Amino acid sequence: MSAETLSFDTLTFDHPAACRPARLTASLFLPEPCERPAPCMVILTSSAGVQRHREHFYAQALNEAGTAALIVDSFAGRGVRRTVADQTLVSAAQMEGDAFAALALLRADQRIDPERIGLMGVSKGGVATLNTAIAVRQRWRNGFPHLFDLHVAICPGATAQHRDATTHGLPIFFMLAAHDDYTPAPLAIEYAERMRSAGNARIKVKVYGSAHHGWESIGPVFDIKDAENWSCCRNFIEDDGRHFIPALGEALSEPDYQAWARLHCVTKGARAGGGTPELKRRATADLLTFLYSAGFAPRWTTPPIRDMLVV
């Protein structure tokens, strides 16, 4: 599987954590042979950055199903290796801007179908993926006119939920882990229900009962000792971007919220891994089935995701 390297400038928009310009790179994987123009999924990374067993695994699975994949590296262009120990090094809002800049790039590429470009992300990338689906945020993006055609959020953090959970009504797939102590599934399930109640009937939620955070990593569950854990920092994002903290009873600006949270609710440590080949195969089949139902995986039939189960 060979990649084409693309460079582009991020989209900056009206948010304190998304207003700094950056030059990024991304890896484009095209299925061969494939229909032209091809559907494409933009892949945002977790806070660990681009990983062979995760982002490259998904790109290969997508290619085998007839879908192009663009892995966006939100970190290297900003001089960052990982954000596990400090999530402010690259914000989810910056990754949101990266995603939309990638969308503009792909829409201008004649090899890609501009009506079939989706977005997916794991953990931190899942947060950014959900943010791209929220309708009120479209007003923040300085008139950027385009939207992703569907969204897949894998173990997304959902402690910060928009007060107005109205989406653009496009398909969203939540893929969650029952034993996740990093980005707990119950909060994401609640967010999905709030999105449904706000009018989006095209939401699917799947909880994997044996799974931990980062199930793409096959092997024993391991401790991430330096992980910033925001799972206790429940808040609601107001339409002006402030964070309303129920425990405090008031709304704080983004910088003030970050400072408050580090003093009052952020903890250290989380668990991840524990994946098995069977779990990885089943979850990937669910992903491709969801994409197939939306016309995104033209070659997908049934599960032979055999030899691509790299660790």
Side-chain angles (χ1 to χ4, degrees):
M1 189 174 69
S2 60
E4 177 182 336
T5 301
L6 306 178
S7 298
F8 57 94
D9 294 317
T10 190
L11 174 74
T12 58
F13 59 92
D14 188 17
H15 187 283
C19 57
R20 296 187 295 274
R23 185 74 175 169
L24 306 174
T25 60
S27 300
L28 178 63
F29 298 88
L30 294 169
E32 293 296 344
C34 74
E35 63 179 70
R36 291 285 193 269
C40 185
M41 291 296 292
V42 176
I43 302 175
L44 300 179
T45 74
S46 75
S47 53
V50 179
Q51 302 286 311
R52 179 171 174 261
H53 69 273
R54 182 174 297 124
E55 288 77 21
H56 282 272
F57 166 80
Y58 284 126
Q60 184 176 349
L62 290 165
N63 274 191
E64 291 207 358
T67 301
L70 182 74
I71 301 174
V72 177
D73 187 345
S74 292
F75 295 172
R78 296 181 170 99
V80 174
R81 187 175 69 85
R82 66 200 283 269
T83 66
V84 173
D86 183 356
Q87 297 293 355
T88 64
L89 293 176
V90 179
S91 70
Q94 285 173 303
M95 294 175 71
E96 178 184 349
D98 301 346
F100 281 109
L103 175 60
L105 191 72
L106 291 171
R107 286 181 62 87
D109 191 324
Q110 294 185 351
R111 298 169 296 180
I112 303 299
D113 184 345
E115 304 301 322
R116 290 187 295 169
I117 302 175
L119 178 65
M120 62 182 287
V122 177
S123 192
K124 187 183 186 81
V127 175
T129 296
L130 293 180
N131 285 344
T132 66
I134 294 292
V136 70
R137 297 180 78 93
Q138 181 77 347
R139 300 206 302 263
W140 301 358
R141 290 194 287 268
N142 303 323
F144 185 84
H146 304 301
L147 297 172
F148 286 97
D149 297 296
L150 56 74
H151 308 79
V152 178
I154 304 174
C155 295
T159 51
Q161 300 183 16
H162 271 269
R163 172 92 64 189
D164 181 356
T166 304
T167 68
H168 296 287
L170 297 164
I172 304 174
F173 187 17
F174 287 75
M175 302 177 70
L176 310 175
H179 299 291
D180 196 331
D181 65 357
Y182 202 3
T183 57
L187 288 173
I189 294 169
E190 177 194 297
Y191 206 7
E193 288 301 324
R194 295 183 61 240
M195 291 176 180
R196 283 196 187 107
S197 297
N200 189 345
R202 305 170 72 186
I203 292 177
K204 178 180 179 181
V205 177
K206 182 69 178 282
V207 181
Y208 297 93
S210 63
H212 292 77
H213 191 89
W215 67 65
E216 297 89 356
S217 179
I218 294 176
V221 176
F222 56 89
D223 291 323
I224 314 173
K225 296 189 186 316
D226 66 341
E228 271 192 347
N229 192 321
W230 291 71
S231 62
C232 295
C233 298
R234 183 67 183 275
N235 66 94
F236 292 96
I237 303 172
E238 308 288 9
D239 287 0
D240 61 5
R242 292 179 303 149
H243 294 259
F244 178 83
I245 305 168
L248 193 62
E250 64 177 282
L252 302 179
S253 68
E254 179 76 24
D256 288 345
Y257 164 68
Q258 294 280 342
W260 182 90
R262 282 185 163 75
L263 286 174
H264 295 94
C265 61
V266 175
T267 60
K268 279 290 184 183
R271 295 181 301 165
T276 65
E278 175 54 31
L279 170 61
K280 196 167 182 176
R281 183 180 295 109
R282 182 158 48 93
T284 307
D286 289 340
L287 166 66
L288 295 176
T289 299
F290 171 78
L291 296 179
Y292 179 82
S293 69
F296 268 71
R299 289 209 299 260
W300 172 245
T301 51
T302 47
I305 307 177
R306 34 182 210 287
D307 48 49
M308 67 170 84
L309 291 174
V310 293
V311 179

